[in-house]
């Protein structure tokens, strides 16, 4: 009965992870709650993951990455690339990918992609290469580089910290390097050669051409019997009552920018953005006359200094999971969101009730000065405007030196990884690279809850015998084909799971099963663990990996663009792993 419950929970979790209908941290906590209520886990077993070395180390790595961002280290790197390869686009891309892969070996790969995103866009502009042929290779390079060291991706940290549970020593700082580095080098060469041929050119249109305002805006004239006459804009609550976004008010020869105290008058023409259903309903209402052509739009835009901008939602943004209504976005930032591009498709209708996700690209409209004020907003990156230089509290090389110190401490075994990361975090505080407030904001708490919860679920799989049951079934199916076939089976299984769900969750689901198979078949458990770590980071086939989500909208990709370029990269990683892992860790 207990085994059936654990396996049913696994199936439910996989579905929820893939659909993203429930936050991943909530899924992980729900698993623990059910296992506690069923008496399968004790409180100590359920919550042991929250105090694990892996969770502590990963939290500290987020802070180290924040130091690189706040000190402007990557801005300096971007300037260095542009200065050396202004008229040589192939060289510029090679330098960019090499630096992304190198940096990702020592920082979280998702954060690395976020940090290098503006650098990549600037390189694309300066070299004339379409952004669509730069951004996906950058995301893939960050994934490739993250596998090279223990701290390059949280998946490696998790696998390394769980190995002692199975009688194995921790992973060393550079233990994966003999396999991961050849994969990374072959992958980077593939990206340089294949990306111009396999990636689309979607970089010719300007922002105004991609988003013609007439597609979003309608004129609504107020007749004398309109219920809005005499009301202020604040009291009218157009968004709440009619799901309308007001862009401008045309009153005779005068064009008024929206202001809360503005009162509507008979004859006013409102330039609004709203869904087709809303406008049809408005047309049937008393006192409104809808003019779909929006002939006054060009005059209004010139008179009110309204501009367009795109902004991508970054990891750990407080926008994620909330609606524009909940955020009170217009009042908070002074600009309208007139479209949200998600999974390559622009969403126009009912935006106020759409929950924002990581990687969403918001099409913003508002006065230029209001848009430029968004540059320092955490978790939101403007794509088509250049931020003003910000004063730095410390030199750009300082956080890089701190990370180098962490690598030396952990790599030489002088200090365990969590302790080395703690020392590095304190060094960032001491050198003013990061404030405590910035450190707390930099940590992806949802990921930490996910990891801690899935560690507890792994305990339940082993404790109930569910892992042993699955291992026996797998051995019956594949064991007769030999050790290499088993290794390939676990690589493909992990690879398949890591496409729709997070790499960390995929590794935590498969690792107990792999260790059980290794114990029953006499295979080297370390070879299994290394294979799972490598496979969990091979998220090249879909845009669902966070690094890929960040470039999805800005690169104007479509879903299968990732499989087109990522298929060859996946094959390279799989073949290299199956060739090298058995040589370094004999089966």
């Amino acid at each position: 009965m207990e085994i059936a419950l654990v396996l049913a929970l696994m199936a439910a979790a996989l579905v929820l992870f893939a659909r993203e209908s429930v936050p991943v941290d909530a899924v992980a906590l729900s698993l623990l709650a059910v296992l506690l209520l069923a008496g399968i886990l004790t409180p100590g077993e359920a919550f042991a993951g929250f105090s694990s070395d892996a969770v502590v180390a990963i939290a500290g790595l987020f802070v180290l990455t924040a130091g690189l961002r706040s000190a402007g280290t990557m801005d300096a790197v971007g300037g260095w690339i542009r200065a050396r390869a202004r008229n040589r686009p192939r060289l510029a891309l090679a330098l960019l990918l090499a630096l992304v892969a190198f940096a990702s070996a020592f920082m979280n790969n998702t954060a690395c992609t976020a940090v290098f995103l503006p650098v990549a866009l600037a390189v694309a502009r300066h070299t004339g290469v379409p952004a669509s042929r730069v951004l996906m290779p950058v995301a893939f390079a960050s994934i490739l580089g993250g596998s090279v060291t223990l701290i390059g991706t949280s998946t490696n940290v998790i696998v390394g910290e769980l190995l002692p549970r199975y009688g194995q020593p921790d992973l060393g700082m550079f233990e994966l390097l003999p396999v991961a580095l050849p994969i990374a080098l072959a992958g980077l060469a593939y990206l340089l050669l294949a990306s111009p041929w396999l990636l689309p050119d979607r970089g010719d249109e300007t922002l105004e051409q991609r988003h013609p305002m007439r597609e979003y805006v309608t004129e609504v004239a107020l007749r004398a019997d309109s219920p809005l006459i005499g009301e202020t804009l604040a009291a009218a609550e157009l968004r709440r009552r009619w799901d309308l976004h007001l862009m401008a008010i045309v009153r005779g020869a005068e064009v008024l920018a929206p202001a809360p105290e503005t009162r509507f008058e008979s004859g006013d023409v409102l330039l609004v953005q709203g869904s087709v259903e809303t406008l049809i309903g408005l047309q049937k209402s008393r006192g409104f006359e809808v003019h779909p052509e929006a002939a006054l739009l060009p005059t209004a835009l010139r008179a009110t200094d309204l501009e367009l901008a795109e902004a991508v939602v970054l990891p750990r943004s407080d926008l994620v999971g909330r609606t524009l209504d909940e955020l009170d976005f217009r009042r908070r930032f002074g600009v309208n969101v007139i479209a949200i591009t998600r999974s390559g498709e622009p969403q126009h209708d009912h935006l106020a009730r759409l929950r924002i996700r990581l990687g969403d690209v918001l099409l913003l409209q508002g006065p230029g000065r209001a848009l430029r004020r968004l540059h320092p907003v955490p978790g939101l990156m403007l794509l088509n405007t250049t931020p003003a230089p910000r004063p730095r509290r410390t030199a750009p090389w300082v956080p890089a030196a701190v990370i180098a110190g962490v690598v030396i401490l952990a790599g030489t075994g002088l200090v365990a990884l969590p302790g080395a990361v703690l020392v590095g975090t304190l060094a960032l505080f001491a050198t003013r690279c990061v404030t405590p407030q910035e450190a707390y904001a930099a940590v992806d708490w949802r990921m930490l809850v996910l990891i801690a919860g899935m560690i507890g679920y792994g305990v339940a799989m082993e404790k109930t015998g569910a892992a042993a049951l699955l291992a026996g079934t797998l051995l019956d199916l594949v064991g007769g084909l030999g050790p290499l076939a088993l290794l390939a089976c676990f690589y493909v299984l992990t690879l398949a799971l890591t496409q729709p769900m997070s790499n960390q969750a995929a590794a935590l689901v498969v690792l107990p099963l792999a260790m059980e198979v290794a114990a029953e078949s006499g295979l080297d458990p370390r070879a299994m663990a290394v294979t799972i770590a490598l496979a969990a980071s091979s998220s090249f086939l879909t845009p669902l990996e966070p690094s890929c989500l960040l470039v999805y909208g800005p690169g104007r990709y479509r879903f299968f663009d990732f499989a087109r370029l990522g298929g060859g990269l996946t094959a390279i990683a799989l073949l290299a792993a199956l060739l090298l892992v058995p040589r370094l860790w004999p089966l």
Side-chain angles (χ1 to χ4, degrees):
M1 183 65 181
E2 289 183 343
I3 292 178
L5 176 60
V6 169
L7 295 179
L9 289 175
M10 176 192 289
L14 293 178
V15 171
L16 292 173
F17 284 145
R19 295 185 60 185
E20 297 183 333
S21 55
V22 180
V24 292
D25 49 344
V27 174
L29 290 176
S30 299
L31 291 177
L32 292 184
V34 173
L35 293 170
L36 278 169
L37 291 173
I40 295 175
L41 293 180
T42 66
E45 292 169 333
F47 301 121
F50 289 91
S51 60
S52 71
D53 288 352
V55 168
V56 174
I58 292 168
L61 292 173
F62 280 120
V63 180
L64 295 180
T65 300
L68 291 171
R69 185 166 51 246
S70 64
T73 308
M74 296 304 120
D75 295 338
V77 168
W80 182 84
I81 295 174
R82 293 193 298 271
R84 281 156 180 78
R86 181 179 297 273
N87 298 316
R88 303 170 67 183
R90 185 61 64 88
L91 176 60
L93 183 59
L95 289 174
L96 179 62
L97 297 186
L99 285 169
V100 169
F102 177 78
S104 184
F106 304 101
M107 58 191 292
N108 176 271
N109 63 295
T110 304
C112 182
T113 302
V115 167
F116 271 98
L117 182 57
V119 177
L121 289 169
V123 168
R125 285 195 299 269
H126 280 77
T127 59
V129 177
S132 57
R133 290 181 175 167
V134 174
L135 297 185
M136 191 188 298
V138 164
F140 286 171
S142 75
I143 297 171
L144 289 168
S147 298
V148 172
T149 70
L150 178 63
I151 64 173
T153 173
S154 53
T155 307
N156 291 354
V157 177
I158 294 166
V159 172
E161 295 296 337
L162 290 182
L163 276 176
R165 181 186 297 177
Y166 305 101
Q168 293 285 315
D170 296 348
L171 282 178
M173 177 63 69
F174 298 105
E175 187 171 348
L176 295 179
L177 186 143
V179 180
L181 183 59
I183 293 175
L185 293 176
L188 293 177
Y190 167 80
L191 292 174
L192 284 171
L193 293 172
S195 57
W197 302 97
L198 298 179
L199 289 179
D201 179 355
R202 300 196 180 113
D204 294 330
E205 294 178 322
T206 64
L207 183 60
E208 287 73 19
Q209 289 171 328
R210 294 204 307 271
H211 302 287
M213 293 293 285
R214 293 177 189 275
E215 292 185 5
Y216 303 94
V217 180
T218 303
E219 293 177 8
V220 177
L222 302 184
R223 296 198 295 261
D225 58 343
S226 171
L228 291 183
I229 302 302
E231 284 197 23
T232 65
L233 176 58
E237 294 186 313
L238 296 181
R239 178 183 293 172
R240 192 174 302 278
R241 290 164 66 180
W242 286 293
D243 196 22
L244 291 174
H245 298 273
L246 180 63
M247 296 177 58
I249 303 171
V250 180
R251 182 172 293 165
E254 188 179 7
V255 179
L256 307 176
E261 65 276 6
T262 302
R263 291 188 181 276
F264 295 109
E265 298 180 4
S266 176
D268 282 352
V269 177
L270 313 184
L271 293 178
V272 299
Q273 184 267 330
S275 67
V276 174
E277 294 87 351
T278 296
L279 296 172
I280 291 174
L282 203 63
Q283 178 73 59
K284 296 178 180 178
S285 301
R286 175 175 57 88
F288 297 97
E289 186 176 330
V290 178
H291 303 154
E293 293 303 317
L296 298 174
L297 178 61
T299 302
L301 290 177
R302 288 194 298 270
T304 55
D305 183 35
L306 293 176
E307 298 179 10
L308 285 178
E310 287 180 315
V312 63
V313 179
L314 299 177
R316 295 174 297 285
S317 171
D318 68 348
L319 277 62
V320 173
R322 304 170 69 185
T323 67
L324 297 175
D325 264 353
E326 292 170 354
L327 292 163
D328 198 7
F329 197 93
R330 170 60 194 253
R331 188 181 301 274
R332 180 177 173 185
F333 299 114
V335 297
N336 281 324
V337 178
I338 61 175
I340 298 177
T341 299
R342 173 177 298 169
S343 302
E345 297 295 329
Q347 312 285 326
H348 305 142
D349 298 339
H350 309 298
L351 296 181
R353 297 188 292 275
L354 192 66
R355 295 204 175 272
I356 296 173
R357 298 180 184 173
L358 167 67
D360 281 353
V361 176
L362 312 183
L363 179 62
L364 307 173
Q365 167 269 321
R369 61 186 181 279
L371 291 171
R372 284 183 281 277
R373 285 199 298 268
L374 293 176
H375 275 297
V377 174
L380 199 63
M381 180 189 296
L382 264 67
L383 298 176
N384 55 324
T385 59
T386 303
R390 291 184 296 169
R392 308 294 183 186
R393 295 188 296 263
T394 187
W397 58 266
V398 173
V402 170
I403 291 177
V406 170
V407 171
I408 292 171
L409 286 175
T412 58
L414 293 174
V415 182
L417 179 60
V421 170
L422 176 60
V423 171
T425 301
L426 294 175
L428 292 181
F429 292 158
T431 54
R432 303 182 62 208
C433 290
V434 174
T435 65
Q437 292 78 15
E438 290 171 338
Y440 280 109
V443 176
D444 189 342
W445 298 103
R446 292 178 62 187
M447 179 188 290
L448 297 186
V449 172
L450 168 67
I451 293 169
M454 294 306 295
I455 289 174
Y457 176 78
V459 172
M461 283 189 65
E462 295 170 355
K463 185 177 179 180
T464 60
L469 175 64
L470 291 176
T473 303
L474 192 61
L475 279 173
D476 291 339
L477 293 173
V478 188
L481 300 178
L484 191 60
L486 274 174
L487 205 66
C489 176
F490 275 102
Y491 190 104
V492 172
L493 175 61
T494 309
L495 178 67
L497 289 178
T498 199
Q499 304 305 322
M501 59 196 285
S502 74
N503 341 12
Q504 299 85 13
L508 286 166
V509 167
V510 179
L511 188 64
L513 175 60
M515 294 297 100
E516 193 70 35
V517 167
E520 292 189 18
S521 63
L523 294 179
D524 182 6
R526 205 164 192 81
M528 286 288 198
V530 168
T531 299
I532 289 168
L534 293 170
S537 296
S538 298
S539 303
F540 304 119
L541 295 176
T542 70
L544 303 179
E545 210 278 345
S547 289
C548 296
L549 282 174
L550 287 178
V551 302
Y552 198 158
R556 300 171 57 213
Y557 297 115
R558 296 187 174 92
F559 190 92
F560 289 105
D561 289 339
F562 288 84
R564 187 179 298 116
L565 183 65
L569 204 53
T570 301
I572 289 171
L574 171 60
L575 293 174
L578 295 181
L579 177 66
L580 296 174
V581 170
R583 291 177 179 271
L584 295 164
W585 295 274
L587 299 176

